[in-house]
Amino acid sequence: MLHIENLHVSIDGKSILTGIDLDVKAGEVHAIMGPNGSGKSTLAQVLAGREGYVVTAGSVRYLGHDLLALEPEQRARAGVFLAFQYPLEIPGVANVQLLRAALNNLRRARGENELDAMDFLDTVKSKLALLGMDDSFLYRAVNEGFSGGEKKRNEILQMAVLEPRLAILDETDSGLDIDALKTVAHGVNALKHPERAVILVTHYQRLLNYIVPDHVHVLAGGRIVRSGDARLALELEDKGYGWLAPDVQGNVQGDVQGDVPMEAPREGRL
Amino acid sequence: MNSFTMSQALVNTRSSLRLMPVRRAALEQFIAHGLPTSHEEDWKYTSLGHLEKTEWHTPEGAPIVSNVVLGTEEYPGEVMHFSNGHLNEASPQACYARSLAKQADSAPVVQHLDTLTRATALTQLNSALWQDGLFLHVSTKDTSADASAPLFAVYSAGEAGAMLHLRNLIVLEAGAEMLLVEHYRGTPDLAYWNNPVTEIVLGEGARLTHLKLTEDSAAATHTGLTVVQQARDSCYRALSVNLGGRLLRQDVEVNLMGDGAECRLDGLFIADARRHIDQHLHIEHAASHTTSRQAWRGIAAGRGRGIFDARVVVQPDAQHADAQQASANLLLSPHAEIDVKPQLEIYTNDVQCGHGAAVGQLDEAQIFYLRSRGISADVARALLLRGFADAALGLLKDTGLAEWLEPHLTAALPRLEQERAA
């Protein structure tokens, strides 16, 4: 489904990814682990099409397409979904408005009819119930004033509604309390399907207690330094990232954090 | 424009004899001082030089502006329609809403007209040359079913070279409530000059909600003043939606004279193309426990220019005053400009005041977020713009007017996208 070959990426002339090779088949769950600054989030953003990243070498094939040649919205319509590490607040746009616009765009791209308001609401409400979320979520502005945990759950709600072929979760587990973590895991496990694949980008092992990966890759210094099965994550938990990437310090076993508001440092906000 | 044509306009004005000396004195004052120039601090950003170069006239009689030109519009309420400065005879009139010209010698008009305005050049010109306008006089006995529905005052301009000095007087007696909508519009691309003055007097505990939608033609000049005086515990809530005109200068002055009086001035402007929109707000807290809120949003695109200049003065007697100013602005083009000048002048200790102002651009990270959900870049921008604009319109929530305003807003917003693409 996804075939990444020798991917090199830089930002502002600084090399971040230095030769990634990764093969993800339909039905698989891959975990990409690594210390801070290893390039995990860059990989996730590049796959979703974020501007500002320069691919200096390598290729990414997705379902036979050259993924890097597609605009972000075309990737989404082709079934790629990124759950953001720092979901954006969109003031003045209701959650339900975004979900409906997004879903109907996808349906059009797949040659399906747009859902009318009633059918759409039925679909969304079944997903809300699946995730144990309240209907009032729908009528709030997208992520505005949401706690960190609510933002992450909202990402999972979007994923559940849009039913992507390839879901990439960028540190969706960070900043979550244990209940929210279980909700997120439940949402991901419900999406599992022989025709779909999931990439979990995470710093910590604990999410993998709830979503068992088929493959685990350790990213350090912009490259995959070790791949293995689910046992690799447990081994990392024991030994720390210093085991595989001697020049970095990092704790694999994250403390369980509270459900706290979280802000990414950004520019140009009103 | 010269003193002779202005004097001629006064000669042609049909007026109550009582007002003639007032009009003559006002015109003399205007002629002596002339239009404001950019040397005056309040006019630093806005030049009215082009008004000097035009031969303006005041339209006579009450020609019906063709609806073929302006299009028909359904207003969800009672309508007072002024065409080229005169009240259309066909307008239905609620008992509390009348022609100011016809009521010029009635007791409330004698008592209140021209008592609030400061003697600036533009208001003097209006005092000299006004031909008609809305006289709204509401007491609690009118606050029945029909006074709770909105009253629309619609001002249509359809004559090139016309100067329209509409004069409105709004008096709400103690405890009265009213929902008033002013809508300024004109034949597309026609050059005319609107210079309305609206005086508003709110008695004890009176509540006025006031929406002003300005959609003048792309060649029009609009210089308007709204001045409000508030008695104890009265409440003035206003929303200005400034979408039109080549040049729009809006002055709003609110005097919180009675203890516990509250005002809320919200606004949205869209300065696209070469539009110039200059808004000056002035709030005086002159009594204790008075509250003022300003929340204004602006969007500038193309070579558009926006100015938001808002001053709040808290006088020594205004203990426990509470004043908040907020202005958020979006620039959509490198050639657009928005100048924001919030000012607080506080002459007493026991107050709560704050202001915030920001000028920014559409956030690329937000656009990427929406695109990553399959929404095209153009739709993402439109959604963000709409969300930004909607945040200024909270006052509409309990008025039932959102639906009416909707097509006006959607007509104004896509212009931005066309410009960006150009």
Side-chain angles (χ1 to χ4, degrees), chain A residues 31-36 38 40 171 173-174 181 201-209 216-220 230-245 248-257:
Chain A
I32 296 182
M33 303 184 69
N36 292 329
S38 60
K40 307 188 296 286
E171 306 219 13
D173 52 335
S174 64
L181 191 73
V201 173
T202 179
H203 187 94
Y204 303 117
Q205 190 275 333
R206 66 186 179 122
L207 179 64
L208 308 182
N209 292 333
V216 174
H217 312 276
V218 180
L219 201 62
R231 283 170 302 184
L232 177 58
L234 295 168
E235 206 173 344
L236 266 177
E237 189 182 10
D238 271 352
K239 299 181 179 171
Y241 284 117
W243 166 50
L244 292 172
V248 293
Q249 299 292 316
N251 183 5
V252 187
Q253 186 176 15
D255 298 328
V256 174
Q257 298 167 38

Side-chain angles (χ1 to χ4, degrees), chain A residues 45 48-51 71-73 76-77 81-82 84 88-93 97-98 101-102 105-106 143 155 158 266 268-270, chain B residues 297 328-330 358-377 379 383-384 386-388 390-391:
Chain A
Q45 299 263 329
R50 178 80 198 252
E51 284 172 23
E71 295 292 331
E73 57 270 34
R77 290 171 197 168
F81 179 91
L82 171 66
F84 279 53
L88 277 289
E89 297 188 9
I90 313 286
V93 177
Q97 206 182 341
L98 169 61
N105 264 319
L106 257 58
N143 293 327
E155 295 292 284
Q158 292 176 13
R266 296 199 303 112
R269 281 187 55 183
L270 277 168
Chain B
R297 296 206 151 201
N329 302 278
L330 269 184
V359 181
Q361 293 165 2
L362 278 182
D363 188 335
E364 287 301 325
Q366 289 178 330
I367 293 169
F368 173 63
Y369 185 67
L370 294 173
R371 292 178 76 189
S372 79
R373 299 318 184 225
I375 293 168
S376 70
V379 174
L383 270 176
L384 290 175
R386 188 53 208 260
F388 178 81
D390 278 351

Side-chain angles (χ1 to χ4, degrees), chain A residues 122-266:
Chain A
D122 286 348
T123 303
V124 170
K125 285 186 175 172
S126 70
K127 303 297 183 182
L128 279 166
L130 174 76
L131 297 172
M133 287 162 74
D134 202 84
D135 284 6
S136 66
F137 246 96
L138 294 178
Y139 303 102
R140 291 166 68 183
V142 177
N143 293 327
E144 194 181 28
F146 283 27
S147 72
E150 284 176 328
K151 285 181 181 174
K152 295 298 178 81
R153 263 180 286 200
N154 205 26
E155 295 292 284
I156 298 304
L157 173 65
Q158 292 176 13
M159 185 184 79
V161 170
L162 300 179
E163 299 185 324
R165 295 288 297 275
L166 174 64
I168 306 159
L169 281 73
D170 187 7
E171 306 219 13
T172 301
D173 52 335
S174 64
L176 292 188
D177 64 27
I178 201 71
D179 289 336
L181 191 73
K182 284 180 179 167
T183 303
V184 165
H186 183 57
V188 175
N189 288 327
L191 192 76
K192 277 193 194 169
H193 186 277
E195 290 300 314
R196 297 191 183 123
V198 178
I199 298 176
L200 302 170
V201 173
T202 179
H203 187 94
Y204 303 117
Q205 190 275 333
R206 66 186 179 122
L207 179 64
L208 308 182
N209 292 333
Y210 303 97
I211 310 169
V212 179
D214 302 298
H215 300 275
V216 174
H217 312 276
V218 180
L219 201 62
R223 290 188 310 117
I224 290 174
V225 294
R226 180 74 66 100
S227 293
D229 59 18
R231 283 170 302 184
L232 177 58
L234 295 168
E235 206 173 344
L236 266 177
E237 189 182 10
D238 271 352
K239 299 181 179 171
Y241 284 117
W243 166 50
L244 292 172
D247 51 338
V248 293
Q249 299 292 316
N251 183 5
V252 187
Q253 186 176 15
D255 298 328
V256 174
Q257 298 167 38
D259 185 0
V260 289
M262 140 197 78
E263 281 304 323
R266 296 199 303 112

Side-chain angles (χ1 to χ4, degrees), chain B residues 263-274:
Chain B
C263 75
R264 173 173 167 189
L265 305 181
D266 290 356
L268 170 69
F269 69 88
I270 299 178
D272 59 339
R274 292 179 168 271

Side-chain angles (χ1 to χ4, degrees), chain B residues 88-140:
Chain B
N88 280 9
E89 290 305 333
S91 287
Q93 292 189 35
C95 61
Y96 49 84
R98 298 186 175 90
S99 146
L100 185 66
K102 288 193 176 151
Q103 297 294 315
D105 295 323
S106 68
V109 175
V110 172
Q111 186 188 346
H112 294 292
L113 187 69
D114 238 332
T115 57
L116 306 185
T117 52
R118 278 181 300 130
T120 65
L122 290 167
T123 56
Q124 276 170 334
L125 190 59
N126 179 289
S127 292
L129 299 181
W130 68 268
Q131 302 186 90
D132 207 350
L134 172 66
F135 172 47
L136 182 61
H137 185 205
V138 189
S139 62
T140 43

